Amino acid sequence: MTTVGLISIGVLQALILLLAAPLFSGFARVMRAKMHSRKGPPIRQNYLDIIKLMKRQEVISEQASWVFRATPYISMAAMLLVALLVPFLAVVSPLGAAGDLILVVYLFALPRVFFSLAGLDSGSTFGGIGGRRELLVAALIEPILLLVVFVLALLAGSTNLGTISSKVATGELPYTLAFWLSLAAFAFTTFVEMGKLPFDLGEAEQELQEGPLTEYSGRSLAIAKWSIYLKQLVLVALFLGLFLPFGSMTTLSPLGALVSVLAFFVKAILFYFVVAVLENAMARMRFMKVPAATWLALGAAVLSFVFYLANI
Amino acid sequence: MGAIQLLLLSILLFLASALIALFWSISGRAARLLVGLLGLVASLVGVAAAGLALTAGVTPALYMFQIEPFGWLKLEMDGLSALLVGLITLVGVGTSLYSISTAQCQRMVGFFTPLFMAAMLVVVTVSNGFFFLVFWELMTLVSYFLVIWESGKEESARTGYLYMLVAHAGAALLMVAFLVLFQKADSFDFRLWRQTYLSPGLKNLVFLLVFVGFGAKAGMVPLHFWTPGTYRAAPDHVSALMAGVMKKTAIYGILRVCVDLLGVTSWWWGFTILAFGVLSAVLGAFYALAERDIKRLLAYSSVENVGIILMGVGVGMLGIAVQQPVLAVLGFLAALYHMLNHAFFKGLLFMGAGWAINQSGTADLNRMGGLARRMPWTAFAFLVGALAVSAIPPLNGFVSEWFTYQAFFTASNTSAFVTRVFSPVCAVLLAFAGAFAVMVYIKAYGGAFTGPARSRAAASAQEAPGMMQVSMLYMVLGCLVLGIGAPLVAPWIAGAAASFARLPPVVVSNGWQVFPAETAQAVLSPPLVLLLLAGLLVVPLALGALYAGSRVKTRSGVPPWTCGYGYDKSMSVSASSFDQPVKVSFHPLYWVRTLVDRPFRAITDFGHSALGVILRAEPVVETVVTRPTARLVETAGQWIQALQMGDIRVYCLYIILTLAILLLVIFGGSGL
């Protein structure tokens, strides 16, 4: 694909993810309400919330330094960068020249690090506790994620996002047991990283008042919330782009773009639907019990590695 | 002037700076400035030497003098040595600047620090086994004096003793190894050692001796226990040098002896190093997380980073053993790159932590707090260092870890089943250690620089003096350049890695990108990542500017929300409560520490009791010979004293009696 083509796909990807992120989270809210037999908010509620917050006055803690103020912006910029890297509209990474899957894994650490720092920086109890919980979950999930990434990259022979995506799409990467297990493990880590129950530890609404977000208000809160919605959708896009790139463009064309956008929306809605069902069917878990739950994902990841070694 | 002459000039300038510090009569600012500036010049000359050697390729050796039977003291700079010289002096620039404005740089510190630098420079360039050991010991000795610089502190003395014990135990092993080589080659010259044939058994023996000997100095687990106390006790810029630079001379030693001189022959060598690397990385990160003392925390984090470096070294040696030169170069590239990066960010972190300790009067993270508002520059510098060591893209720590991952990936694709199994496992453990490193540094930055001030001293802290800020900004710049400038830096390091291991060169960069030999495997462009991150910041800023007109002005200075109660500073999360969930979740790993520590505690205890024996053995001569003689003289004196009565008449009597006895003897003898 030409450079112009790649750039246009990249811009399209970033725009779609940025603008649709509140919509998908709104869908998750509606789903939750329905499963609770409530009427629930309208699906566009998140957009209204963001607009409302944008207009509100911002109040900043006396303890806060520039880290606290900059965090929402840095978080959103990092997620937009990942949105440019992920191959979900086409089977190439629009920004493949900048980095690979390992870069993406580490870019997800950027918002986490800054939100944890911001939580501590605000001097708030909830912020600090939320920050440390978020990091514990990361420490449990990141090794699993990396193992899955390695298995997938070994199957594809490269850590380039585009290469993996196109090899999965064309079937050049055999759909072996190893592939399906790594898909399962990756889906699990996506679920955890999205901060869904029972893993909504850092931003737990009920017990921690949304953790690191506690002290944010007004415009900053709007950007922070938006960047979290964006992170969730980017995670889903990464999963779909790597493991289920069906419907993605292989050559650039307006029609192909339309088809791939539609295919992405269908796949993403399905993923959010499954996530919502799982989340709302589960009870809250005690925080210290969570490490045990991640063994499931580790087991799947290790098995997929074993199967890769055994060539099954 | 050639590269090696420049190096000699740099060493001489360091020596001059040491002498000035020793003999300058006015202590204080002027002397510090002169010594610091001279150190700066010496470092810059050293940087020039390294740059010249790297660009010029092979430089002729400099023969200094000869002592029979040990041979010539000669300095040589191949790619690896040049890289190490560059590392030492580049960090030296920062520490020299820092030393100008720290009160810790008194006469003794000012004297020993340049000597320390000079000794390290010789260690990494000398190409004679005997003189290597001499300067290795000198380096240890000088750094020992720097550890015990605070006179009258029992803690420092004890720490220094432990450091000395471990360093010498390691050096003793090196001596045995070098004597074996000497005995076979009949020379101490590295050039002859390369050509000498050793039987496999002997080679394995030398490898083990050298690995453990250097490993002790590098502070790998389980020989790491001396590091926290040592770095804690040393002056700040010396801690920066010890953690950032001195450890690297040990890695240099492993590379020089095992790869260059012995030539890797068995695959288990690389494997052993890899295994210890993984162990150090994971346990180092864990122990760092459990620390409350900021300098000890940084020391344990150095253990982790040495682990990461050893992982690269191990992969590189595996690559040689399985005859995959590309893999070998990638492994060494990752190791050397991380070595350079660690020198910069760890140096920076020790400097920042040093000023934070200076101002809050304590190294306890629970009693600092809120320093970011009182020393914004120091906090910024520390944060950049913390992000770099946490491998946040596009800073330098990420680039070298990326190369480590890529080396593991390449290793996973080899035909050998063992490497195919263990490389991904090691990569996962690296990610595990990395995730904990992130937590460690958020704890360190969070505890020291954010939240409310938790002590009176911390509440009245001041920003660092100008020169200190300059030195920290220099290190920040280093972290940025090594990260974003990866496409420029990586080829030099890869070239040095290939040349010292005598492997074909590997292309690792093109234009703005770096890649692990093949672009098909992966590419990374740190400058592009930075540009895009900065560029994409425009989007949230523009979104934030929406409705700016209808918004009420931001209100700041409000106490944090505490559910309607009054805010108290004890409500914020302190450093030790920060890592509590991890300690609970992963307590088995802390149990491992007690297990691992036990035999080494036994060793140090043995050291202590041995010292006791020596103390008892030492006075044997005194009790048996000296003291009885002294007692005899004393009693004789008392006897004689009895004769003295102070009466003039008695003295007259003595004189007469003496005369009478003398007359009797003389004349009585003649038969009168």
Side-chain angles (χ1 to χ4, degrees):
Chain A
M1 261 178 233
T2 57
T3 318
V4 180
L6 286 178
I7 291 174
S8 47
I9 295 176
V11 172
L12 189 63
Q13 287 198 160
L15 276 176
I16 287 177
L17 292 185
L18 182 66
L19 295 177
L23 180 74
F24 278 98
S25 297
F27 172 68
R29 281 174 79 174
V30 172
M31 276 289 298
R32 166 181 277 197
K34 296 291 176 219
M35 285 183 70
H36 290 182
S37 313
R38 286 188 283 116
K39 187 155 173 269
I43 199 161
R44 63 194 159 86
Q45 185 61 47
N46 282 336
Y47 294 102
L48 302 176
D49 286 353
I50 287 171
I51 292 170
K52 178 188 71 186
L53 285 169
M54 286 282 190
K55 292 178 187 163
R56 290 286 168 90
Q57 184 190 21
E58 203 176 333
V59 180
I60 291 174
S61 154
E62 61 189 5
Q63 314 287 353
S65 70
W66 64 269
V67 174
F68 176 81
R69 291 164 194 258
T71 293
Y73 301 93
I74 293 174
S75 167
M76 188 178 265
M79 285 304 106
L80 283 171
L81 179 54
V82 180
L84 288 175
L85 279 161
V86 171
F88 71 93
L89 289 187
V91 292
V92 291
S93 162
L95 207 65
D100 61 346
L101 190 47
I102 293 173
L103 174 71
V104 169
V105 171
Y106 273 76
L107 277 175
F108 276 116
L110 199 63
R112 189 159 50 226
V113 164
F114 270 90
F115 270 118
S116 307
L117 278 173
L120 287 167
D121 197 28
S122 65
S124 153
T125 320
F126 302 115
I129 294 174
R132 78 181 189 197
R133 286 184 170 196
E134 198 147 334
L135 292 174
L136 178 67
V137 175
L140 293 167
I141 284 302
E142 246 174 39
I144 302 171
L145 188 61
L146 204 97
L147 184 55
V148 181
V149 162
F150 245 72
V151 171
L152 188 64
L154 284 170
L155 286 169
S158 166
T159 58
N160 274 342
L161 292 153
T163 313
I164 296 172
S165 183
S166 67
K167 283 198 176 176
V168 173
T170 56
E172 203 180 318
L173 190 153
Y175 305 130
T176 52
L177 206 50
F179 173 78
W180 295 115
L181 273 167
S182 60
L183 180 143
F186 201 96
F188 189 101
T189 58
T190 306
F191 183 80
V192 176
E193 292 250 20
M194 282 171 83
K196 297 293 179 186
L197 268 175
F199 299 104
D200 68 330
L201 297 164
E203 276 103 31
E205 282 175 29
Q206 294 97 327
E207 55 191 79
L208 282 182
Q209 317 205 349
E210 301 193 71
L213 298 188
T214 308
E215 284 301 315
Y216 282 107
S217 52
R219 171 179 50 170
S220 295
L221 183 59
I223 304 277
K225 283 205 157 204
W226 200 343
S227 81
I228 287 173
Y229 301 148
L230 179 63
K231 182 184 174 181
Q232 294 175 342
L233 192 58
V234 167
L235 280 162
V236 174
L238 179 64
F239 171 72
L240 296 176
L242 290 180
F243 285 93
L244 304 167
F246 308 112
S248 299
M249 288 185 277
T250 43
T251 50
L252 188 65
S253 67
L255 185 70
L258 194 67
V259 170
S260 63
V261 170
L262 285 176
F264 171 69
F265 269 85
V266 171
K267 286 186 283 184
I269 286 284
L270 274 175
F271 192 89
Y272 268 82
F273 179 81
V274 174
V275 164
V277 169
L278 283 175
E279 180 185 32
N280 294 302
M282 257 185 271
R284 276 202 75 74
M285 204 185 272
R286 254 194 70 213
F287 166 59
M288 297 310 282
K289 299 268 185 203
V290 168
T294 56
W295 281 99
L296 189 65
L298 183 64
V302 169
L303 267 184
S304 80
F305 176 51
V306 170
F307 285 143
Y308 155 75
L309 284 175
N311 242 330
I312 302 176
Chain B
M1 209 189 303
I4 208 87
Q5 282 78 17
L6 274 177
L7 177 76
L8 191 64
L9 178 65
S10 166
I11 293 170
L12 290 175
L13 282 170
F14 275 122
L15 293 181
S17 147
L19 287 178
I20 288 173
L22 189 61
F23 291 115
W24 191 268
S25 51
I26 38 164
S27 56
R29 209 162 247 197
R32 238 166 39 207
L33 187 68
L34 187 66
V35 171
L37 285 180
L38 209 54
L40 179 68
V41 173
S43 301
L44 289 174
V45 172
V47 173
L52 206 60
L54 277 176
T55 46
V58 184
T59 48
L62 181 72
Y63 288 77
M64 308 272 285
F65 55 83
Q66 189 181 18
I67 304 177
E68 283 305 334
F70 307 117
W72 280 93
L73 168 58
K74 61 182 169 120
L75 303 182
E76 250 179 301
M77 273 213 273
D78 62 348
L80 183 64
S81 293
L83 207 64
L84 262 293
V85 169
L87 184 149
I88 294 167
T89 50
L90 278 171
V91 178
V93 170
T95 51
S96 299
L97 285 169
Y98 189 92
S99 73
I100 292 174
S101 50
T102 172
Q104 292 177 329
C105 192
Q106 343 141 322
R107 175 176 289 196
M108 192 168 147
V109 175
F111 172 63
F112 282 114
T113 313
L115 275 189
F116 184 40
M117 293 290 292
M120 287 194 290
L121 283 177
V122 179
V123 161
V124 297
T125 49
V126 73
S127 60
N128 175 303
F130 172 75
F131 289 106
F132 179 92
L133 284 176
V134 168
F135 283 96
W136 182 260
E137 284 291 83
L138 184 70
M139 181 176 87
T140 304
L141 201 64
V142 169
S143 52
Y144 164 75
F145 283 115
L146 286 167
V147 172
I148 57 158
W149 69 289
E150 275 179 301
S151 52
K153 257 193 149 179
E154 207 207 329
E155 180 65 38
S156 309
R158 204 142 17 96
T159 307
Y161 167 72
L162 183 63
Y163 170 52
M164 206 60 172
L165 191 76
V166 176
H168 277 105
L173 296 181
L174 293 182
M175 261 175 228
V176 175
F178 280 24
L179 281 175
V180 168
L181 284 165
F182 171 69
Q183 204 242 332
K184 286 285 162 194
D186 201 26
S187 163
F188 276 109
D189 196 335
F190 280 176
R191 194 168 46 81
L192 291 172
W193 283 6
R194 269 184 208 115
Q195 299 156 358
T196 308
Y197 171 78
L198 289 177
S199 64
L202 216 50
K203 257 193 181 176
N204 289 341
L205 175 74
V206 172
F207 163 73
L208 282 178
L209 288 169
V210 165
F211 176 56
V212 178
F214 283 124
K217 193 80 170 183
M220 69 176 186
V221 173
L223 301 167
H224 65 284
F225 50 92
W226 58 274
T227 50
T230 308
Y231 298 166
R232 174 80 187 83
D236 303 325
H237 61 289
V238 177
S239 311
L241 282 175
M242 288 180 83
V245 182
M246 189 181 73
K247 281 192 163 193
K248 312 304 157 52
T249 61
I251 307 282
Y252 163 83
I254 292 177
L255 287 173
R256 175 65 75 204
V257 178
C258 301
V259 180
D260 179 19
L261 301 182
L262 293 178
V264 185
T265 43
S266 314
W267 63 268
W268 66 266
W269 291 13
F271 228 73
T272 311
I273 293 186
L274 188 58
F276 278 97
V278 169
L279 196 67
S280 302
V282 173
L283 292 183
F286 264 94
Y287 301 157
L289 192 59
E291 273 304 332
R292 266 171 59 174
D293 182 306
I294 187 165
K295 270 180 120 179
R296 291 176 64 94
L297 177 144
L298 292 178
Y300 275 121
S301 152
S302 300
V303 173
E304 184 223 338
N305 280 285
V306 161
I308 296 173
I309 296 169
L310 286 178
M311 282 186 190
V313 173
V315 173
M317 284 167 71
L318 269 178
I320 295 181
V322 300
Q323 281 161 349
Q324 295 226 344
V326 174
L327 175 61
V329 173
L330 279 180
F332 293 138
L333 164 67
L336 293 172
Y337 207 145
H338 199 71
M339 214 153 101
L340 204 56
N341 291 339
H342 179 249
F344 268 93
F345 51 64
K346 196 49 64 69
L348 172 60
L349 289 166
F350 267 113
M351 289 177 180
W355 185 250
I357 293 170
N358 177 302
Q359 284 299 297
S360 40
T362 172
D364 186 349
L365 283 168
N366 285 344
R367 294 170 44 75
M368 292 179 161
L371 296 177
R373 272 162 292 136
R374 292 174 193 92
M375 42 175 91
W377 279 110
T378 312
F380 169 75
F382 192 91
L383 183 62
V384 172
L387 292 177
V389 69
S390 308
I392 297 298
L395 291 167
N396 59 351
F398 171 72
V399 178
S400 48
E401 283 195 24
W402 186 83
F403 271 117
T404 314
Y405 281 121
Q406 291 300 338
F408 279 131
F409 189 79
T410 311
S412 312
N413 279 322
T414 56
S415 50
F417 189 71
V418 195
T419 43
R420 280 180 60 204
V421 174
F422 282 100
S423 303
V425 172
C426 290
V428 169
L429 288 169
L430 175 59
F432 195 50
F436 277 93
V438 170
M439 227 184 283
V440 167
Y441 282 98
I442 290 179
K443 174 184 173 173
Y445 181 84
F449 292 99
T450 71
R454 294 186 191 86
S455 70
R456 196 171 297 159
S460 58
Q462 300 285 317
E463 178 59 282
M467 207 46 106
M468 218 178 256
Q469 285 181 30
V470 171
S471 70
M472 285 192 267
L473 284 180
Y474 164 76
M475 302 297 266
V476 165
L477 209 67
C479 290
L480 287 173
V481 168
L482 284 171
I484 295 148
L488 295 175
V489 180
W492 290 110
I493 303 176
S499 77
F500 96 90
R502 290 184 293 283
L503 296 166
V506 171
V507 182
V508 292
S509 88
N510 182 22
W512 288 34
Q513 291 176 325
V514 289
F515 42 82
E518 283 173 62
T519 46
Q521 184 178 323
V523 290
L524 177 73
S525 176
L528 204 56
V529 172
L530 178 81
L531 272 180
L532 283 164
L533 266 181
L536 287 169
L537 267 179
V538 174
V539 177
L541 285 172
L543 289 173
L546 293 172
Y547 306 105
S550 58
R551 195 165 35 223
V552 185
K553 205 166 162 287
T554 302
R555 190 156 58 102
S556 50
V558 182
W561 169 247
T562 49
C563 307
Y565 294 93
Y567 179 74
D568 184 88
K569 65 175 194 272
S570 62
M571 287 176 176
S572 68
V573 171
S574 71
S576 29
S577 72
F578 187 75
D579 54 297
Q580 185 264 347
V582 180
K583 282 188 193 157
V584 177
S585 302
F586 291 94
H587 63 92
L589 276 172
Y590 291 101
W591 172 78
V592 170
R593 164 154 71 173
T594 41
L595 195 76
V596 169
D597 271 10
R598 208 170 294 150
F600 293 95
R601 290 257 174 273
I603 291 174
T604 48
D605 288 347
F606 172 75
H608 275 286
S609 47
L611 191 72
V613 171
I614 293 166
L615 284 177
R616 280 194 296 280
E618 198 200 353
V620 164
V621 178
E622 195 184 331
T623 45
V624 176
V625 183
T626 325
R627 210 168 287 163
T629 319
R631 218 172 292 142
L632 194 71
V633 173
E634 214 169 288
T635 13
Q638 274 163 2
W639 274 81
I640 291 163
Q641 216 171 13
L643 296 176
Q644 289 182 325
M645 287 167 176
D647 192 332
I648 191 94
R649 289 166 303 176
V650 180
Y651 291 128
C652 288
L653 184 68
Y654 288 160
I655 293 167
I656 292 164
L657 272 176
T658 315
L659 274 173
I661 292 166
L662 280 174
L663 284 171
L664 272 175
V665 169
I666 294 165
F667 296 104
S670 64
L672 199 136

